[in-house]
């Protein structure tokens, strides 16, 4: 039986690294309409640490900017998601627990539905409170497996890591291949291993195209049970 594969637009990734071509909030709002009119995206990653910092560089209030940017997607029934860094929240260094807890409540009120939480060390202890705070704040909590290749980072390692994330409170799992180096066959096996253990959990694949693997990895992820592909 055919399955519907949903697409998530990583709009933040497209402009966060674009040097001097960084949009103001008024430009972002103008872009929202054609994205919605395309009619093929069920999710849009709208903000994260980079978004907030760029707002500040422009002298814009990130709290107002996020509301204005997410509103058109909220109205269209398209889920919005953000990227957060566990102990660091939206920053590059650790922040207090009370600030992290408040952040999720604020982001939900600003119109962001899903929090993708990741830790570069793949340490579940560094993400457990993110999963808890996201759920308490009314957001969907997604745990991201930071993909890499080494003798230690085996297929079973990532399947076991997903289990630990879910036990810690993650409601969805993302394979976050942020350097685009994950092997397509391994991606497929990891997705299948998670799917076999958790038939109903949403699995999302995120890949960067630097070495050219991500399209093949996305196809392997879909073949083995992924629900959503980041594009």
């Amino acid at each position: 039986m055919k399955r519907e594969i949903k697409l998530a637009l990583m709009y933040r990734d497209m402009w966060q690294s674009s040097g001097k071509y960084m949009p103001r909030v008024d430009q972002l709002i103008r872009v929202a309409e054609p994205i919605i009119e395309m009619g093929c995206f069920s999710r849009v990653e709208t903000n994260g640490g980079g978004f907030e910092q760029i707002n500040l560089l422009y002298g814009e209030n990130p709290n107002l900017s996020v509301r204005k940017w997410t509103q058109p997607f909220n109205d269209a029934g398209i889920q919005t998601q953000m990227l957060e860094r566990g102990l660091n929240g939206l920053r590059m260094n650790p922040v207090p627990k009370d600030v992290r807890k408040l952040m999720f409540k604020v982001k939900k009120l600003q119109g962001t539905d899903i929090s993708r939480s990741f830790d570069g060390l793949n340490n579940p202890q560094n993400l457990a409170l993110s999963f808890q705070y996201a759920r308490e704040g009314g957001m969907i909590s997604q745990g991201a497996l930071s993909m890499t290749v080494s003798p230690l980072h085996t297929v079973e390692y990532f399947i076991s890591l997903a289990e630990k994330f879910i036990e810690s409170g993650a409601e969805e799992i993302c394979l976050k291949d942020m350097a685009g180096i994950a092997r397509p066959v391994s991606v497929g096996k990891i997705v299948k291993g998670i799917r076999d253990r958790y038939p109903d959990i949403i699995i999302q694949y995120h890949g960067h195209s630097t070495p050219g693997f991500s399209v093949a990895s996305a196809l392997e992820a879909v073949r083995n049970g992924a629900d959503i592909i980041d594009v």
Side-chain angles (χ1 to χ4, degrees):
M1 180 182 295
K2 292 183 178 180
R3 293 185 302 116
E4 179 185 9
I5 306 302
K6 297 182 178 180
L7 302 179
L9 178 63
M10 296 295 101
Y11 194 74
R12 178 191 60 83
D13 271 3
M14 287 201 292
W15 58 262
Q16 179 172 283
S17 304
S18 60
K20 63 182 179 181
Y21 302 107
M22 299 182 294
R24 302 182 307 271
V25 69
D26 63 296
Q27 296 168 322
L28 285 168
I29 293 170
R30 288 164 58 192
V31 170
E33 184 177 351
I35 290 174
I36 293 168
E37 287 179 351
M38 289 180 194
C40 59
F41 300 113
S42 64
R43 294 182 173 184
V44 178
E45 185 170 288
T46 52
N47 63 296
F51 180 94
E52 315 282 326
Q53 294 157 25
I54 291 167
N55 285 154
L56 291 170
L57 286 172
Y58 269 123
E60 296 179 337
N61 183 333
N63 296 306
L64 298 177
S65 298
V66 173
R67 290 176 185 271
K68 291 180 180 179
W69 171 222
T70 58
Q71 190 65 55
F73 301 112
N74 296 158
D75 293 342
I78 296 173
Q79 289 180 308
T80 59
Q81 63 186 46
M82 73 175 202
L83 184 67
E84 73 97 28
R85 303 180 176 96
L87 295 181
N88 295 347
L90 296 182
R91 301 180 64 185
M92 301 303 289
N93 55 299
V95 295
K97 288 182 181 179
D98 57 345
V99 175
R100 292 174 61 199
K101 187 171 185 177
L102 179 62
M103 177 193 72
F104 291 102
K105 293 181 179 179
V106 170
K107 292 304 168 191
K108 177 59 178 177
L109 289 172
Q110 289 174 347
T112 310
D113 303 304
I114 303 158
S115 173
R116 173 177 293 172
S117 299
F118 81 100
D119 175 72
L121 298 175
N122 281 325
N123 186 345
Q125 290 180 318
N126 290 347
L127 294 176
L129 286 178
S130 287
F131 300 150
Q132 175 187 331
Y133 293 159
R135 296 195 320 274
E136 290 177 355
M139 301 184 75
I140 295 169
S141 175
Q142 186 183 89
L145 314 176
S146 295
M147 309 296 293
T148 190
V149 178
S150 82
L152 296 177
H153 295 89
T154 63
V155 168
E156 282 304 319
Y157 165 88
F158 284 110
I159 295 172
S160 174
L161 183 62
E163 291 180 339
K164 292 174 183 175
F165 282 1
I166 293 167
E167 289 170 0
S168 297
E171 299 170 285
E172 299 181 0
I173 291 294
C174 171
L175 278 67
K176 189 179 189 310
D177 187 11
M178 58 279 185
I181 59 173
R183 304 299 190 262
V185 171
S186 296
V187 168
K189 290 179 179 178
I190 293 166
V191 171
K192 187 176 188 304
I194 299 169
R195 176 60 68 220
D196 287 346
R197 289 166 175 77
Y198 301 96
D200 299 323
I201 199 163
I202 288 178
I203 301 175
Q204 194 160 342
Y205 171 76
H206 172 87
H208 285 214
S209 297
T210 310
F213 293 158
S214 65
V215 173
S217 293
L219 291 172
E220 284 298 304
V222 165
R223 286 181 57 202
N224 287 278
D227 304 286
I228 304 172
I229 300 296
D230 289 357
V231 296

